[in-house]
Amino acid sequence: RQENFGIGIGCVISGGSTLTYKVQHTFDDIFDPSVTPTAFDHSTITGKTANSDGNYAFPVRAVRLNVTAYTNGDVTMTLLQGAAG
């Protein structure tokens, strides 16, 4: 809840990994037990098998990394939120 909202996203796959992933977001309250959140795929970070980056220029309530196919390895997602200016 800040003015000038923006989040940078970076996803890095470890060497030798064989997996597919996507980034998803929701506008729902994930802490409300009466709500089943609806997940939306990020517009460009979906179906990825290599390092990828992107952003959210408009507010979302929660973000997750979803591994959709896995043989081995791992992927790390880093989110950086810009400061209000």
Side-chain angles (χ1 to χ4, degrees), residues 5-78:
F5 181 91
I7 295 177
I9 307 165
C11 298
V12 177
I13 291 185
S14 64
S17 294
T18 305
L19 55 82
T20 304
Y21 68 92
K22 62 183 168 181
V23 172
Q24 296 179 304
H25 62 277
T26 187
F27 299 100
D28 297 320
D29 184 352
I30 62 170
F31 297 109
D32 182 344
S34 68
V35 173
T36 301
T38 300
F40 298 92
D41 292 347
H42 186 275
S43 61
T44 61
I45 309 175
T46 186
K48 298 297 182 177
T49 58
N51 297 343
S52 186
D53 68 340
N55 65 72
Y56 285 110
F58 302 98
V60 295
R61 176 124 340 143
V63 178
R64 73 178 179 188
L65 179 66
N66 185 350
V67 176
T68 57
Y70 180 83
T71 301
N72 64 9
D74 62 326
V75 55
T76 301
M77 177 175 69
T78 302

